[in-house]
Structure formats: C-alpha cells, structure tokens
Amino acid sequence: MVTADIFEKLKDLQDILVNKYELEAKIEDAPKHLGIQEELLAKLKKEYIVKNASYEELKSKIGELKVELDAAIKLREDGEKSMDNISTHREYEALEKQINEAKIKEEDLRKELKTHEDALQRMNDDLKSNEDIIKSQESDITSAKQSIDKEIAKYNSELAKLQEKESSITPSLDQEILFKFERIIQRNSEGIVAVKNGVCTGCHMILPAQFANQVREITEGSENGEIKFCPYCSRVLFYEKSEDGENESYFSMDEAGSLAGLDDDDFDEDEDLDDDDREDDIYEKENDFSDDSDDSDLDDEEPEDDEDQE
C-alpha cells in the first residue's frame, strides 16, 4: 500500500540526495585546480632544466674561448719579444706574419667571447626569474593543498551527516523504486514532482486522464496501487491541488457515466414526428426552395428587359 508518508519521505530524500551529489561533485572537483597548478609547475621545472643545460653548455664554451684567447695573447707577446733577436729579413717577415695572425685571432676571440658572455648573462637572468616563479608556484601549491584539505574535510563532515539522514529513510523504501529515484535525481536534480490539472510539473506534459486519476488515488492512500512514474520524464508523481482551487479535470469512469444511459429524445427532437408530418415538412421545404428559385429567375431576367427598352 502506498501512503502519503512515502511521498513525504521521497521529498525529504530528494533534498538529501541533491545536497549529497553536490558535495560529492565538489570533493571530486576540488583537486582539479590544484592539478592544473602542479602541471604548470612541472612544465616550469622542465623548461628550467633545459635552459640550465644550455647555460652550462655556453659557460663551458666561454671557458674554452678564454683558453684560446690566452694562447693567442701569449703567441703575440712572444712574437713581439722575439723581434729584438732576429738577424735576417726573412726571419723578420715570418715573425711579423705570426704576430699579425695572433692579433687577428685575439681580436676575433675577444668579439666572440663578448657575444657569448652577454648571452650568458641574459640566460642567467632568465634562470633566476624562472627560479623565483617556481618558488612562488611551489608556495601557492602548498597553500592550495592546505586549503583544499580543509575544504574537503568540511565537505566530508557534511556528507557524513547527509548519509546518516539518508540511512534513516532508505530502509523503509522499496529498493527498486529507490534505485530509479536516485538515478533520476543524478540526471535532473528533481526526482518527485506534483501533478496539477492533469499536467506533470516536472516536464509540463499533459498526462492521460485515467493515469492522472490513478496518481490522485494513490496519493490519497489507495490500497490497490503502486507509485507512478511520469511516462515522459520518468519522475515520481504525486497529486497536488491547484493553487486557484478550481475543479480539476480528474474523474472516474463511474462518475463520467456512459452514452448508453442517455434518452433517445436527447439526441433527436424529430423522433416524435410521424411519417405524414415528415412528408408534409419535406414538401413545405421543397416549395420554399422552389419559390426562392423563381424569385431568383425573375431577378436575373430584369436586366434583359432593361436592355430591350434601351
């Protein structure tokens, strides 16, 4: 037997389940923002590693250039010192060529070294900036984790209370109905709705009169009936009077009666006429029609008389 108490329990359960599903969604979504931050941090660290490797490579290259520059400087200085000890013109030319080549190489190495040192300084500044960003991101993630942990703990506390209330209601409900009811609320957030004036207030579809009447009888405590689901939106239905208080379009077949119970004279007033009266009536109608036709012919002929007179 379906009682009004069951519908009240379903309404209470609906509020509990809606809040429950919202909290579960929040608990699931809470770490997602943190995951995005962690992905960004991992990306920054990866970029830092790549930049740092390039920095170290350039730093090593600069060290090699400095060694080459020192060798070029020494070669030039040694040549200049040897100029005082030469004795032939050929030796002078060879030594002069060595000194000039050393000077050119020294000059090229200084330019290249300056270019690389400037690039190294820019890379160093960039790495320091990345380090600051990474530290800031790590700090934000730590704070976010603490905040999320507190938030989730609060949600879990509220969820535990809702689950306790849910456990006090669900054992008294049919498990098949409960399963359907939970599925409906997961999709629509509203699992039980009223029927007013033969219309489902959930999907606003007009219900068959007999079906709507059954919902009313079940809501009022019919012993022979089961909970009805809307054939259009699948929500649980219960009857509720319209706010304006007007009579609603609910009826039973007993109240409606049948066409067979009506008197014949309600359908045809001519039924009382005998055959002679009917023939006289038909004759009068035919004469009326003939008179009308004659008048119409006269009206049609009048213009022709006018034409003859002209």
Side-chain angles (χ1 to χ4, degrees):
M1 175 180 176
V2 179
T3 63
D5 179 59
I6 291 179
F7 292 106
E8 292 302 321
K9 286 182 179 180
L10 287 175
K11 292 176 186 177
D12 292 340
L13 181 60
Q14 175 175 264
D15 295 336
I16 292 170
L17 291 177
V18 168
N19 291 329
K20 173 185 171 182
Y21 295 146
E22 286 179 356
L23 286 173
E24 289 176 344
K26 287 179 179 179
I27 292 172
E28 184 179 353
D29 292 339
K32 288 183 179 179
H33 180 65
L34 183 62
I36 294 173
Q37 288 181 304
E38 288 175 337
E39 288 178 5
L40 178 60
L41 177 61
K43 184 179 179 181
L44 288 172
K45 287 183 175 180
K46 186 176 181 180
E47 291 176 353
Y48 179 86
I49 291 171
V50 173
K51 289 180 180 179
N52 189 66
S54 300
Y55 175 83
E56 293 297 332
E57 185 179 346
L58 184 58
K59 189 176 179 181
S60 177
K61 178 66 175 176
I62 289 173
E64 295 174 359
L65 289 175
K66 286 181 176 179
V67 172
E68 290 183 30
L69 178 60
D70 290 340
I73 292 172
K74 187 176 185 305
L75 184 61
R76 175 182 58 78
E77 290 175 347
D78 291 343
E80 290 173 345
K81 290 177 181 179
S82 299
M83 289 293 287
D84 297 334
N85 300 325
I86 60 174
S87 57
T88 64
H89 183 69
R90 180 177 291 180
E91 289 178 351
Y92 175 80
E93 289 179 345
L95 190 57
E96 185 179 29
K97 181 180 179 182
Q98 176 185 329
I99 293 171
N100 290 333
E101 289 177 350
K103 285 182 178 180
I104 293 171
K105 186 173 183 179
E106 180 183 348
E107 186 178 351
D108 291 341
L109 286 170
R110 287 184 186 279
K111 289 180 180 179
E112 186 176 0
L113 188 61
K114 179 67 169 59
T115 301
H116 288 332
E117 284 177 340
D118 291 343
L120 187 69
Q121 183 60 46
R122 290 193 297 271
M123 292 178 70
N124 185 57
D125 293 340
D126 190 25
L127 285 172
K128 286 182 178 179
S129 177
N130 282 12
E131 287 174 0
D132 293 339
I133 294 173
I134 289 172
K135 288 179 181 178
S136 176
Q137 188 73 6
E138 287 176 337
S139 177
D140 290 344
I141 288 175
T142 301
S143 299
K145 281 183 178 179
Q146 294 174 350
S147 177
I148 288 172
D149 289 342
K150 290 180 181 179
E151 201 171 272
I152 290 177
K154 178 184 175 183
Y155 291 154
N156 282 327
S157 176
E158 294 176 7
L159 191 60
K161 293 178 182 178
L162 289 172
Q163 288 173 336
E164 185 177 350
K165 292 180 180 178
E166 180 184 358
S167 299
S168 66
I169 296 175
T170 52
S172 61
L173 299 176
D174 181 88
Q175 294 303 304
E176 183 178 352
I177 292 175
L178 178 61
F179 176 76
K180 292 180 181 179
F181 190 69
E182 290 174 343
R183 292 282 298 275
I184 294 166
I185 291 180
Q186 285 176 340
R187 295 195 305 269
N188 302 311
S189 75
E190 192 175 28
I192 179 169
V193 295
V195 174
K196 294 183 180 180
N197 291 324
V199 176
C200 170
T201 57
C203 61
H204 307 291
M205 295 294 288
I206 299 174
L207 301 172
Q210 184 178 0
F211 181 83
N213 198 42
Q214 288 174 350
V215 173
R216 179 176 184 174
E217 292 174 354
I218 291 168
T219 306
E220 292 175 347
S222 172
E223 295 185 0
N224 300 319
E226 296 179 352
I227 286 177
K228 297 295 183 182
F229 293 85
C230 176
Y232 305 106
C233 65
S234 301
R235 293 177 172 93
V236 175
L237 299 175
F238 69 95
Y239 165 75
E240 186 173 282
K241 291 182 179 179
S242 60
E243 295 178 358
D244 55 14
E246 294 179 358
N247 294 330
E248 300 183 14
S249 57
Y250 292 99
F251 57 91
S252 66
M253 294 305 295
D254 293 333
E255 294 171 346
S258 66
L259 296 178
L262 296 176
D263 294 332
D264 293 337
D265 50 287
D266 289 336
F267 287 94
D268 193 345
E269 295 180 356
D270 291 338
E271 201 69 38
D272 295 331
L273 297 175
D274 57 22
D275 293 338
D276 294 334
D277 291 337
R278 286 180 184 171
E279 290 179 1
D280 293 340
D281 186 37
I282 293 170
Y283 177 78
E284 288 175 2
K285 290 180 179 178
E286 288 178 349
N287 289 337
D288 290 342
F289 178 79
S290 299
D291 293 341
D292 292 341
S293 300
D294 293 339
D295 293 339
S296 176
D297 293 337
L298 290 174
D299 292 340
D300 292 338
E301 291 175 2
E302 286 177 2
E304 294 179 3
D305 295 339
D306 292 342
E307 289 179 1
D308 295 336
Q309 289 175 2
E310 289 177 2

